[in-house]
Amino acid sequence: QVPLMQSGGGSVQAGGSLRLACKASTSVYRNECLGWFRQALGQEREGVARIDTAGIATYGGVPVKDRFTISRDNAETTVYLDINNLQAEDSGWYYCAAVVCGTWRPKYWGLGARVTVSS
């Protein structure tokens, strides 16, 4: 079973909203802290949001926090990243990852989803 399976992404107009999903295997979902990272073209991968097994969220930066929401769905063993008011700088690849709890250190990755924001 693939530990992290991503869905969502695509092309969105600026100002729109998008939901990314990361479905985890049951064991991963129960035992791992999970996070979302993004990588813009030519940039390093950066942590956007992470959530621990109790559902406590941490965001990567002030500009991100106001428009990004990470959440967990226990019934679906899925972690979501909702992005509102998308901006051109949000374009890039978004990766789900299991992380060392309390840190941004990734343990393993999902395959990624591309987001393109057009004006």
Side-chain angles (χ1 to χ4, degrees), residues 1-71:
Q1 188 177 9
V2 176
L4 298 171
M5 186 172 297
Q6 293 188 227
S7 61
S11 296
V12 185
Q13 286 200 323
S17 299
L18 191 70
R19 165 169 274 196
L20 302 174
C22 177
K23 184 169 179 62
S25 64
T26 300
S27 62
V28 167
Y29 186 84
R30 287 177 178 173
N31 299 308
E32 299 282 14
C33 296
L34 298 171
W36 286 97
F37 294 73
R38 71 178 176 185
Q39 186 167 21
L41 184 65
Q43 302 294 318
E44 292 187 355
R45 199 171 296 187
E46 59 178 351
V48 172
R50 66 178 193 255
I51 190 165
D52 66 16
T53 54
I56 297 173
T58 300
Y59 294 90
V62 174
V64 170
K65 183 180 179 181
D66 290 340
R67 300 187 293 113
F68 288 52
T69 303
I70 189 171
S71 60

Side-chain angles (χ1 to χ4, degrees), residues 46-99:
E46 59 178 351
V48 172
R50 66 178 193 255
I51 190 165
D52 66 16
T53 54
I56 297 173
T58 300
Y59 294 90
V62 174
V64 170
K65 183 180 179 181
D66 290 340
R67 300 187 293 113
F68 288 52
T69 303
I70 189 171
S71 60
R72 298 174 68 110
D73 184 326
N74 295 336
E76 296 295 328
T77 66
T78 298
V79 173
Y80 298 100
L81 183 69
D82 291 297
I83 312 172
N84 297 315
N85 190 21
L86 279 153
Q87 306 296 311
E89 57 265 32
D90 296 323
S91 296
W93 282 87
Y94 284 74
Y95 296 89
C96 175
V99 298

